[in-house]
Amino acid sequence: QVQLVESGGALVQAGGSLRLSCAASGRTLTLYAVGWFRQPPGKEREFVASKMWNGPATAYADAVQGRFAISVDNRKNTVSLQMNSLKPEDTAVYYCAARRSKASVDYDYWGQGTQVTVSS
């Protein structure tokens, strides 16, 4: 099992920056990849970014490409999401997630979420 705990959510003005963190504990050596997802008010959860736990490969949603950056410090078992040039449409609950399998795109572990609100 792996436990994930997010932090760093806040109210920020449009154009500002915010850094989310996710602390991972448990059997992190079994992880293949980690990711960030978000759920805007009244909408379904959507993919934001992902990264291999032990490798450089990353992926981003088109909506955040060039503004957000995901990073992993697997010595400290932390996953971060640096968010720049924030827009009101970035308002959402942000979730950290992790998966064990290379073959499957399904994530096995989820955090409880952290609220990000971007005011215009």
Side-chain angles (χ1 to χ4, degrees), residues 20-58:
L20 304 182
S21 294
C22 174
S25 60
R27 301 184 65 187
T28 58
L29 290 178
T30 65
L31 295 179
Y32 173 74
V34 290
W36 287 94
F37 292 75
R38 66 187 183 186
Q39 186 165 18
K43 298 184 179 180
E44 294 187 353
R45 187 166 59 192
E46 61 187 25
F47 168 78
V48 174
S50 65
K51 187 182 181 304
M52 292 176 62
W53 184 252
N54 281 306
T58 58

Side-chain angles (χ1 to χ4, degrees), residues 2 4 13 17-19 29 33-35 42 46-47 49 53 57 61 71 74 77 79 82-83 87-88 117:
V2 173
L4 303 171
Q13 288 189 334
S17 298
L18 201 59
R19 187 175 183 88
L29 290 178
V34 290
E46 61 187 25
F47 168 78
W53 184 252
S71 60
N74 46 31
N77 286 342
V79 185
Q82 178 66 42
M83 305 186 294
K87 304 175 181 180
T117 303

